[in-house]
Amino acid sequence: FLGRNRFAVLDRHKREIVVKNLNNETTKRVSAPVPNVDCLYDGGASGRIILRADDRAVLFEVQSRRVIGELTAPKIKNVVWSPDGSKVALLCKYGVVIANRQLEQLCSISDTVRIKSGAWDVSPTGGTNSNLFVYTTLHHVKYCLPTGDTGTIRTLDNPIYVTRVVKDSLFCLDREARSRVISIDTTEARFKLALANKKYGQVMHMVKHSRLCGRAIVAYLQSKGFPEVALHFVRDPQTRFRLALACGNIEAAMESAFSLEQQQGADGKSRDVWGELGSEALRQGNHQVVEMSYQRKKDFDRLSFLYMLTGDNEKLRKMLKISNMRNDIMGRYHNALLLGDAAERVAVLEASGNLPLAYISANLHGLDEVAERIKVAIETQEGSVEGLMEKVPVGTKKGGRLLQPPTPIVRASNWPTLEIKKTTLEDLSAADAGDEYEEEAPPAAATDTGATAGAAAWDDDFGMEDAGAGIGGDDDFDLGDDDMGWGDDLDGLGDIGGDDIAPDQ
């Protein structure tokens, strides 16, 4: 029908469009705008028709005889317009093409089996009206959104032919032409549609009250840039850890890291987790979390460098003591360099057998008594110190300079952290005011977790009792005492790198 009292038929022999009135009298003949036209369908508006020609669909206006739109759609079987006339679904033999009222393609999906039928959702509420297209194949009921998202709703025992879809009810005919009503669950489709339409209040309502789950939903949310929403679905610590890192939520990542450490123990896998957490915290500038991650990973070199950057010379000296107790010569020398401790550097060189270097270093730094003692040791080994100092040019441009660590400018408990931009989902004040769903604020992601995380999980002196309760307590540092009473707190650190480490260490 082109209007209230006229309709169009296709004369296949002459390839003409014949317009007739209700008395079946021909009022007009219009030549087809393209060759090989073999079928025509409703155009969605008065005076318009859709013509099928080979693998094309052409939107044609009969009165003005002009082509409004054209797209490629192979083997079209049927055309289904949405209730509001804003979209059209072209059902092909092995796919569905969705276009707007001007026949401009919005999305195209393909299937491996034949498409049987399809219908638009006409639900008055929920936001799916004219936006959710449900179609059937031989054994499945599937959905398609104008955004291109698709999925399977349910399986079928026998083929059906859809006539109408209202929310979770599908009206159809079976092959015996009997009318049936089948229950379907379109929660996943409504969730994706709400996310695409930025109805964040509805999204968070469905997150809290629907039974959405599965790796597919998690992967979909990650691909769309909403990993913080996927955190609501996931309980596996490994997956939660990855999602928390993706959205920059340090607190959630730290919670998952502790869970993984409990499950896996202090082996290589859990250390990798702490390393990744430390990298993300370092990117955000939260050096307190970085410090704890390096402690858990037992990454002494990076830990020492971190203390040098943050100006924590007290802990740096304790790292020097730890290196001494671990018999780590290079660690001792690095910590002595970072502290600017010339006497300790001379002692390390002497202990490692580099007596000439120790003698030169002692002389340059004015440690005369130590230099004299090292000189005696060299001569006892039938060596000589003559000419050693001549090899070191002092006072020239090529000469040595006094090496001292930089003076830290900021000595605060934590640096200003990088601002992690919140998504609109985390700020539900941007949700639609007219949304029928009750909006509940989700847990806010950590934008400045430095002070809170630091106060809750550990103190400034490596006291890890709160954060690591029940998680390898023997491996934790306790550098809170200034004396040399290290005792049990370093039992798990003294043999790091040895081949005879007991499993519980």
Side-chain angles (χ1 to χ4, degrees):
F1 278 89
L2 299 177
R4 182 173 55 84
N5 56 3
R6 56 197 177 100
F7 61 93
V9 295
L10 177 65
D11 187 342
R12 295 190 179 182
H13 299 289
K14 296 182 179 180
R15 304 291 181 183
E16 288 182 340
I17 301 167
V18 181
V19 181
K20 297 187 177 184
N21 58 24
L22 296 183
N23 294 324
N24 205 26
E25 298 171 347
T26 300
T27 60
K28 184 186 294 187
R29 285 181 174 270
V30 179
S31 299
V34 292
N36 301 326
V37 175
D38 58 0
C39 191
L40 60 81
Y41 302 99
D42 178 24
S46 177
R48 294 183 179 182
I49 56 175
I50 292 179
L51 304 175
R52 183 181 71 184
D54 298 328
D55 288 344
R56 293 182 297 167
V58 179
L59 181 60
F60 182 63
E61 191 170 69
V62 177
Q63 186 66 28
S64 62
R65 302 189 182 188
R66 63 189 180 97
V67 174
I68 298 174
E70 181 178 339
L71 56 78
T72 302
K75 300 179 181 179
I76 300 175
K77 296 171 58 179
N78 197 7
V79 170
V80 183
W81 283 90
S82 62
D84 61 359
S86 62
K87 301 178 187 68
V88 60
L90 307 178
L91 296 183
C92 304
K93 188 175 183 181
Y94 291 103
V96 177
V97 179
I98 295 181
N100 60 15
R101 68 171 71 239
Q102 304 299 326
L103 211 62
E104 297 169 345
Q105 181 173 313
L106 300 177
C107 72
S108 175
I109 62 170
S110 59
D111 213 315
T112 56
V113 294
R114 293 188 179 186
I115 308 296
K116 293 295 182 181
S117 61
W120 290 91
D121 184 25
V122 294
S123 305
T125 60
T128 56
N129 192 314
S130 300
N131 284 309
L132 172 61
F133 185 75
V134 178
Y135 66 96
T136 62
T137 62
L138 193 62
H139 296 296
H140 293 94
V141 177
K142 300 184 178 182
Y143 69 86
C144 176
L145 303 178
T147 57
D149 294 316
T150 182
T152 301
I153 297 176
R154 59 168 293 171
T155 57
L156 296 172
D157 297 328
N158 299 300
I160 59 172
Y161 300 89
V162 182
T163 58
R164 189 178 180 86
V165 177
V166 181
K167 201 171 183 180
D168 288 338
S169 298
L170 185 146
F171 299 83
C172 61
L173 297 174
D174 59 18
R175 284 190 165 175
E176 284 73 34
R178 292 176 299 188
S179 178
R180 297 176 57 189
V181 180
I182 296 178
S183 176
I184 59 176
D185 184 5
T186 58
T187 304
E188 179 183 321
R190 286 186 278 114
F191 177 79
K192 292 181 178 179
L193 188 61
L195 199 63
N197 292 337
K198 299 181 179 181
K199 295 185 177 180
Y200 298 121
Q202 182 178 345
V203 168
M204 296 312 298
H205 182 275
M206 297 178 72
V207 166
K208 295 177 184 296
H209 299 93
S210 299
R211 298 176 59 185
L212 287 168
C213 61
R215 294 182 179 179
I217 284 290
V218 173
Y220 175 82
L221 288 168
Q222 276 193 288
S223 66
K224 295 297 181 180
F226 296 104
E228 69 281 355
V229 183
L231 280 172
H232 292 272
F233 300 104
V234 179
R235 294 294 175 265
D236 176 53
Q238 185 69 41
T239 309
R240 282 184 63 83
F241 179 76
R242 301 295 176 195
L243 292 171
L245 287 186
C247 62
N249 192 333
I250 293 296
E251 290 181 344
M254 195 160 52
E255 177 186 347
S256 300
F258 280 124
S259 299
L260 288 171
E261 190 178 57
Q262 284 180 325
Q263 293 178 4
Q264 301 173 356
D267 57 0
K269 291 183 179 179
S270 64
R271 291 190 182 183
D272 291 342
V273 168
W274 288 113
E276 293 180 36
L277 177 60
S279 298
E280 175 61 22
L282 191 63
R283 186 186 71 84
Q284 295 186 20
N286 192 331
H287 72 75
Q288 291 183 342
V289 178
V290 176
E291 175 186 353
M292 188 199 67
S293 300
Y294 289 168
Q295 291 173 18
R296 293 287 182 178
K297 194 180 178 183
K298 296 182 172 62
D299 196 338
F300 299 105
D301 292 338
R302 284 190 170 91
L303 199 55
S304 296
F305 192 69
L306 177 67
Y307 290 146
M308 189 272 290
L309 290 178
T310 56
D312 200 334
N313 290 338
E314 181 182 352
K315 289 181 181 178
L316 195 54
R317 289 193 179 280
K318 293 172 184 177
M319 291 303 298
L320 177 60
K321 296 177 185 178
I322 292 175
S323 300
N324 194 11
M325 299 182 69
R326 295 175 58 241
N327 295 321
D328 183 3
I329 295 296
M330 288 305 298
R332 285 180 60 191
Y333 195 76
H334 286 159
N335 284 302
L337 278 174
L338 297 178
L339 282 167
D341 191 339
E344 181 65 23
R345 293 203 297 269
V346 172
V348 173
L349 291 172
E350 185 179 4
S352 62
N354 294 288
L355 296 181
L357 283 176
Y359 176 76
I360 293 173
S361 183
N363 260 313
L364 288 176
H365 290 92
L367 304 174
D368 297 332
E369 294 181 2
V370 178
E372 189 63 30
R373 177 170 52 79
I374 296 174
K375 177 182 178 182
V376 172
I378 292 175
E379 292 175 347
T380 302
Q381 298 178 7
E382 298 181 356
S384 175
V385 297
E386 294 182 4
L388 285 179
M389 298 307 297
E390 297 176 0
K391 298 179 180 180
V392 183
V394 180
T396 64
K397 290 184 179 181
K398 295 182 179 180
R401 295 288 187 276
L402 180 62
L403 184 61
Q404 289 292 339
T407 302
I409 299 174
V410 180
R411 292 180 183 268
S413 59
N414 207 356
W415 292 340
T417 55
L418 179 69
E419 182 180 356
I420 303 300
K421 184 178 180 181
K422 289 185 178 181
T423 63
T424 316
L425 277 170
E426 295 175 271
D427 185 11
L428 287 182
S429 60
D432 294 341
D435 201 333
E436 65 174 334
Y437 292 88
E438 180 182 357
E439 298 178 5
E440 298 179 15
T447 56
D448 186 4
T449 61
T452 56
W458 66 92
D459 56 26
D460 292 337
D461 292 327
F462 285 135
M464 301 295 295
E465 293 83 7
D466 294 334
I471 308 176
D474 291 340
D475 291 339
D476 297 336
F477 294 86
D478 184 4
L479 303 185
D481 298 327
D482 290 332
D483 57 10
M484 292 297 291
W486 296 90
D488 297 335
D489 294 316
L490 288 172
D491 287 346
L493 301 177
D495 296 327
I496 296 298
D499 296 332
D500 54 347
I501 301 177
D504 59 343
Q505 292 179 320

PDB file of all heavy atoms in Angstrom, residues 409-422:
ATOM      1  N   ILE A 409      62.952  16.716  47.790  1.00  0.00           N
ATOM      2  CA  ILE A 409      62.207  17.962  47.958  1.00  0.00           C
ATOM      3  C   ILE A 409      60.930  17.696  48.761  1.00  0.00           C
ATOM      4  O   ILE A 409      60.553  18.460  49.624  1.00  0.00           O
ATOM      5  CB  ILE A 409      61.861  18.562  46.580  1.00  0.00           C
ATOM      6  CG1 ILE A 409      63.153  18.866  45.814  1.00  0.00           C
ATOM      7  CG2 ILE A 409      61.013  19.813  46.726  1.00  0.00           C
ATOM      8  CD1 ILE A 409      62.917  19.312  44.399  1.00  0.00           C
ATOM      9  N   VAL A 410      60.250  16.577  48.443  1.00  0.00           N
ATOM     10  CA  VAL A 410      58.997  16.229  49.109  1.00  0.00           C
ATOM     11  C   VAL A 410      59.233  15.041  50.019  1.00  0.00           C
ATOM     12  O   VAL A 410      59.715  14.002  49.571  1.00  0.00           O
ATOM     13  CB  VAL A 410      57.897  15.890  48.071  1.00  0.00           C
ATOM     14  CG1 VAL A 410      56.599  15.522  48.783  1.00  0.00           C
ATOM     15  CG2 VAL A 410      57.671  17.065  47.142  1.00  0.00           C
ATOM     16  N   ARG A 411      58.896  15.195  51.283  1.00  0.00           N
ATOM     17  CA  ARG A 411      59.026  14.093  52.234  1.00  0.00           C
ATOM     18  C   ARG A 411      57.656  13.717  52.815  1.00  0.00           C
ATOM     19  O   ARG A 411      57.585  13.208  53.921  1.00  0.00           O
ATOM     20  CB  ARG A 411      59.976  14.475  53.373  1.00  0.00           C
ATOM     21  CG  ARG A 411      61.428  14.639  52.963  1.00  0.00           C
ATOM     22  CD  ARG A 411      62.278  15.026  54.159  1.00  0.00           C
ATOM     23  NE  ARG A 411      63.665  15.252  53.808  1.00  0.00           N
ATOM     24  CZ  ARG A 411      64.615  14.328  53.846  1.00  0.00           C
ATOM     25  NH1 ARG A 411      64.301  13.091  54.216  1.00  0.00           N
ATOM     26  NH2 ARG A 411      65.851  14.597  53.526  1.00  0.00           N
ATOM     27  N   ALA A 412      56.597  13.973  52.087  1.00  0.00           N
ATOM     28  CA  ALA A 412      55.258  13.683  52.591  1.00  0.00           C
ATOM     29  C   ALA A 412      55.021  12.181  52.626  1.00  0.00           C
ATOM     30  O   ALA A 412      55.810  11.389  52.084  1.00  0.00           O
ATOM     31  CB  ALA A 412      54.215  14.366  51.702  1.00  0.00           C
ATOM     32  N   SER A 413      53.917  11.778  53.265  1.00  0.00           N
ATOM     33  CA  SER A 413      53.618  10.353  53.365  1.00  0.00           C
ATOM     34  C   SER A 413      53.355   9.742  51.990  1.00  0.00           C
ATOM     35  O   SER A 413      53.637   8.576  51.765  1.00  0.00           O
ATOM     36  CB  SER A 413      52.403  10.138  54.267  1.00  0.00           C
ATOM     37  OG  SER A 413      51.276  10.833  53.738  1.00  0.00           O
ATOM     38  N   ASN A 414      52.806  10.513  51.077  1.00  0.00           N
ATOM     39  CA  ASN A 414      52.579  10.009  49.726  1.00  0.00           C
ATOM     40  C   ASN A 414      52.603  11.188  48.759  1.00  0.00           C
ATOM     41  O   ASN A 414      52.309  12.319  49.130  1.00  0.00           O
ATOM     42  CB  ASN A 414      51.242   9.284  49.630  1.00  0.00           C
ATOM     43  CG  ASN A 414      51.251   8.240  48.526  1.00  0.00           C
ATOM     44  OD1 ASN A 414      52.224   8.107  47.796  1.00  0.00           O
ATOM     45  ND2 ASN A 414      50.179   7.494  48.414  1.00  0.00           N
ATOM     46  N   TRP A 415      52.963  10.913  47.537  1.00  0.00           N
ATOM     47  CA  TRP A 415      52.984  11.956  46.513  1.00  0.00           C
ATOM     48  C   TRP A 415      51.579  12.213  46.009  1.00  0.00           C
ATOM     49  O   TRP A 415      50.676  11.396  46.170  1.00  0.00           O
ATOM     50  CB  TRP A 415      53.858  11.519  45.347  1.00  0.00           C
ATOM     51  CG  TRP A 415      55.305  11.430  45.667  1.00  0.00           C
ATOM     52  CD1 TRP A 415      55.964  12.015  46.692  1.00  0.00           C
ATOM     53  CD2 TRP A 415      56.277  10.667  44.944  1.00  0.00           C
ATOM     54  NE1 TRP A 415      57.281  11.695  46.659  1.00  0.00           N
ATOM     55  CE2 TRP A 415      57.511  10.864  45.597  1.00  0.00           C
ATOM     56  CE3 TRP A 415      56.243   9.861  43.822  1.00  0.00           C
ATOM     57  CZ2 TRP A 415      58.686  10.279  45.155  1.00  0.00           C
ATOM     58  CZ3 TRP A 415      57.408   9.276  43.377  1.00  0.00           C
ATOM     59  CH2 TRP A 415      58.609   9.490  44.039  1.00  0.00           C
ATOM     60  N   PRO A 416      51.356  13.349  45.367  1.00  0.00           N
ATOM     61  CA  PRO A 416      50.081  13.543  44.651  1.00  0.00           C
ATOM     62  C   PRO A 416      49.954  12.480  43.565  1.00  0.00           C
ATOM     63  O   PRO A 416      50.844  12.328  42.735  1.00  0.00           O
ATOM     64  CB  PRO A 416      50.211  14.952  44.056  1.00  0.00           C
ATOM     65  CG  PRO A 416      51.269  15.621  44.873  1.00  0.00           C
ATOM     66  CD  PRO A 416      52.214  14.548  45.305  1.00  0.00           C
ATOM     67  N   THR A 417      48.862  11.727  43.594  1.00  0.00           N
ATOM     68  CA  THR A 417      48.717  10.615  42.659  1.00  0.00           C
ATOM     69  C   THR A 417      48.079  11.078  41.363  1.00  0.00           C
ATOM     70  O   THR A 417      47.399  12.098  41.308  1.00  0.00           O
ATOM     71  CB  THR A 417      47.860   9.496  43.276  1.00  0.00           C
ATOM     72  OG1 THR A 417      46.615  10.059  43.694  1.00  0.00           O
ATOM     73  CG2 THR A 417      48.562   8.883  44.476  1.00  0.00           C
ATOM     74  N   LEU A 418      48.294  10.289  40.326  1.00  0.00           N
ATOM     75  CA  LEU A 418      47.703  10.562  39.021  1.00  0.00           C
ATOM     76  C   LEU A 418      46.188  10.432  39.122  1.00  0.00           C
ATOM     77  O   LEU A 418      45.673   9.454  39.672  1.00  0.00           O
ATOM     78  CB  LEU A 418      48.245   9.571  37.985  1.00  0.00           C
ATOM     79  CG  LEU A 418      47.714   9.697  36.566  1.00  0.00           C
ATOM     80  CD1 LEU A 418      48.220  10.964  35.918  1.00  0.00           C
ATOM     81  CD2 LEU A 418      48.130   8.486  35.734  1.00  0.00           C
ATOM     82  N   GLU A 419      45.482  11.401  38.607  1.00  0.00           N
ATOM     83  CA  GLU A 419      44.022  11.350  38.656  1.00  0.00           C
ATOM     84  C   GLU A 419      43.511  10.336  37.656  1.00  0.00           C
ATOM     85  O   GLU A 419      43.776  10.433  36.458  1.00  0.00           O
ATOM     86  CB  GLU A 419      43.427  12.726  38.346  1.00  0.00           C
ATOM     87  CG  GLU A 419      41.911  12.748  38.427  1.00  0.00           C
ATOM     88  CD  GLU A 419      41.347  14.119  38.106  1.00  0.00           C
ATOM     89  OE1 GLU A 419      42.141  15.044  37.897  1.00  0.00           O
ATOM     90  OE2 GLU A 419      40.103  14.239  38.073  1.00  0.00           O
ATOM     91  N   ILE A 420      42.813   9.324  38.159  1.00  0.00           N
ATOM     92  CA  ILE A 420      42.227   8.310  37.298  1.00  0.00           C
ATOM     93  C   ILE A 420      40.827   8.767  36.923  1.00  0.00           C
ATOM     94  O   ILE A 420      39.963   8.929  37.791  1.00  0.00           O
ATOM     95  CB  ILE A 420      42.171   6.940  38.006  1.00  0.00           C
ATOM     96  CG1 ILE A 420      43.579   6.526  38.447  1.00  0.00           C
ATOM     97  CG2 ILE A 420      41.561   5.891  37.096  1.00  0.00           C
ATOM     98  CD1 ILE A 420      44.568   6.402  37.306  1.00  0.00           C
ATOM     99  N   LYS A 421      40.611   8.983  35.657  1.00  0.00           N
ATOM    100  CA  LYS A 421      39.346   9.522  35.194  1.00  0.00           C
ATOM    101  C   LYS A 421      38.225   8.517  35.421  1.00  0.00           C
ATOM    102  O   LYS A 421      38.294   7.380  34.979  1.00  0.00           O
ATOM    103  CB  LYS A 421      39.434   9.872  33.699  1.00  0.00           C
ATOM    104  CG  LYS A 421      38.172  10.538  33.167  1.00  0.00           C
ATOM    105  CD  LYS A 421      38.338  10.889  31.702  1.00  0.00           C
ATOM    106  CE  LYS A 421      37.078  11.553  31.170  1.00  0.00           C
ATOM    107  NZ  LYS A 421      37.197  11.887  29.729  1.00  0.00           N
ATOM    108  N   LYS A 422      37.185   8.943  36.120  1.00  0.00           N
ATOM    109  CA  LYS A 422      36.046   8.075  36.363  1.00  0.00           C
ATOM    110  C   LYS A 422      35.183   8.006  35.110  1.00  0.00           C
ATOM    111  O   LYS A 422      35.025   8.980  34.394  1.00  0.00           O
ATOM    112  CB  LYS A 422      35.198   8.608  37.516  1.00  0.00           C
ATOM    113  CG  LYS A 422      35.847   8.476  38.887  1.00  0.00           C
ATOM    114  CD  LYS A 422      34.874   8.928  39.955  1.00  0.00           C
ATOM    115  CE  LYS A 422      35.471   8.777  41.345  1.00  0.00           C
ATOM    116  NZ  LYS A 422      34.522   9.186  42.395  1.00  0.00           N
TER     117      LYS A 422
END
